[in-house]
Amino acid sequence: MIYNAMGYAPPEAIAIGYGNELRSDDGIGQRVAKALQLSNVKSLAVHQLTPELAETLADADLAIFIDACLMSESSQVQVQSLSPESFNVIAGHTADPRSLLALTQAIYGRCPPAWWIKVPGENFELGYSLSPIAETGVAIALQKITQIIDENFSLLL
């Protein structure tokens, strides 16, 4: 973190978009992370959540996770706040962000406030293109991330 003349660092967020870009809509999370262009947000596009991300999370003031979900789970972009909960083993893409937050808390003694954005998809077959519903969801997710950052960082400044 860089400290300014008043001795404190401006708040920084981490956005982690995850999923498999080779399986069409499953790549939604990475697509959002790559499109995110905010100066106070470090954006990571990863295939899966791994324990190594705990160190990055420990240094952040806010975390946002972005992933695809099935249309049967929800037809709308979902935003939910997260708390560290250790109920899933971190094992590949099936890892839950709450487990990664719990690991961060256990190792570093802190974890940032966090949000989980789930974007609906309908095509998870091999391929690189997103379905129209996923493309719309990416745009909505980018707007929601900007809103989350604005709302949370205005409280920290």
Side-chain angles (χ1 to χ4, degrees):
M1 289 187 174
I2 299 171
Y3 292 87
N4 64 19
M6 298 180 84
Y8 65 90
E12 292 181 356
I14 179 86
I16 302 173
Y18 58 102
N20 186 345
E21 289 185 298
L22 302 177
R23 298 200 61 87
S24 304
D25 290 355
D26 194 45
I28 288 170
Q30 286 203 47
R31 185 78 61 99
V32 171
K34 290 176 180 178
L36 196 57
Q37 301 289 322
L38 297 172
S39 62
N40 53 348
V41 179
K42 178 180 181 180
S43 186
L44 298 175
V46 298
H47 184 73
Q48 58 192 10
L49 298 178
T50 60
E52 293 79 11
L53 293 169
E55 181 177 4
T56 302
L57 285 168
D59 291 335
D61 297 304
L62 179 71
I64 300 170
F65 296 91
I66 310 106
D67 192 17
C69 68
L70 298 173
M71 284 286 294
S72 59
E73 185 180 328
S74 175
S75 62
Q76 302 292 318
V77 174
Q78 300 294 304
V79 178
Q80 69 183 78
S81 62
L82 294 174
S83 299
E85 294 177 25
S86 194
F87 54 84
N88 278 346
V89 175
I90 297 177
H93 182 76
T94 59
D96 187 295
R98 292 170 284 203
S99 296
L100 185 54
L101 292 170
L103 179 67
T104 304
Q105 181 70 46
I107 294 173
Y108 297 99
R110 74 169 302 272
C111 73
W115 297 87
W116 196 359
I117 297 178
K118 297 182 205 176
V119 181
E122 59 186 357
N123 176 15
F124 293 85
E125 300 296 321
L126 288 175
Y128 297 103
S129 337
L130 296 181
S131 66
I133 190 144
E135 289 283 359
T136 300
V138 166
I140 293 168
L142 289 166
Q143 292 172 342
K144 290 187 179 290
I145 291 169
T146 301
Q147 181 181 0
I148 290 167
I149 298 296
D150 289 347
E151 288 173 1
N152 284 272
F153 282 2
S154 66
L155 299 173
L156 295 174
L157 294 175

